Amino acid sequence: MTNPKIPEVNNVYGHIQAPQGLNVILHAVTPVVGEQRAFVHVSQFNGDEILRFASDVAEFESIPLEEPSRHLLNGCVAGSLDEVVAFVRALSGQLAQAAVEHRFEVYDSDQQLIQQLPR
């Protein structure tokens, strides 16, 4: 059995608070995406931190906002809606364990809101 194809458009949109920097987020998401699948890139242009992670079923990237320590964290997850929600639920659970303030919205292929996490 092969893994489902990762969608070409985002189906998960979120935001995170990272007052201690994105390395806290990096360590929180590693159990969900696996070792060597997530990293923090620091821009040589302006010093902004960007979190990127990818697995066989998901790809995410953060976007720093003007408000200090606040980032968008958007991405796409492959699979059925139940599988997408399960992945985001696992991600949300790891962030909650790390005491990271966050919010995700999961959308279907018609860009209709399906679920918000955490509830």
Side-chain angles (χ1 to χ4, degrees), residues 59-97:
E59 295 177 355
F60 279 76
E61 182 172 289
S62 70
I63 300 168
L65 298 174
E66 288 188 27
E67 183 180 327
S69 76
R70 192 165 173 171
H71 303 261
L72 297 178
L73 184 58
N74 303 328
C76 43
V77 180
S80 68
L81 282 176
D82 287 341
E83 291 168 322
V84 173
V85 170
F87 181 91
V88 176
R89 187 173 286 124
L91 194 63
S92 178
Q94 287 298 122
L95 292 170
Q97 270 191 319

Side-chain angles (χ1 to χ4, degrees), residues 4 6-7 12 19 25 29 39 49-50 58-60 71 104 108 119:
I6 295 175
V12 179
I25 312 302
V29 302
F39 63 93
E49 288 185 326
I50 298 171
E59 295 177 355
F60 279 76
H71 303 261
F104 291 107
D108 66 13
R119 289 182 177 213

Side-chain angles (χ1 to χ4, degrees), residues 11-75:
N11 56 3
V12 179
Y13 298 89
H15 72 272
I16 53 175
Q17 289 282 108
Q20 287 85 26
L22 289 177
N23 281 319
V24 171
I25 312 302
L26 172 69
H27 294 294
V29 302
T30 298
V32 178
V33 298
E35 293 291 326
Q36 307 300 320
R37 300 272 186 146
F39 63 93
V40 173
H41 171 76
V42 179
S43 169
Q44 292 181 333
F45 175 70
N46 60 10
D48 283 346
E49 288 185 326
I50 298 171
L51 171 67
R52 292 187 178 118
F53 60 88
S55 71
D56 294 337
V57 297
E59 295 177 355
F60 279 76
E61 182 172 289
S62 70
I63 300 168
L65 298 174
E66 288 188 27
E67 183 180 327
S69 76
R70 192 165 173 171
H71 303 261
L72 297 178
L73 184 58
N74 303 328

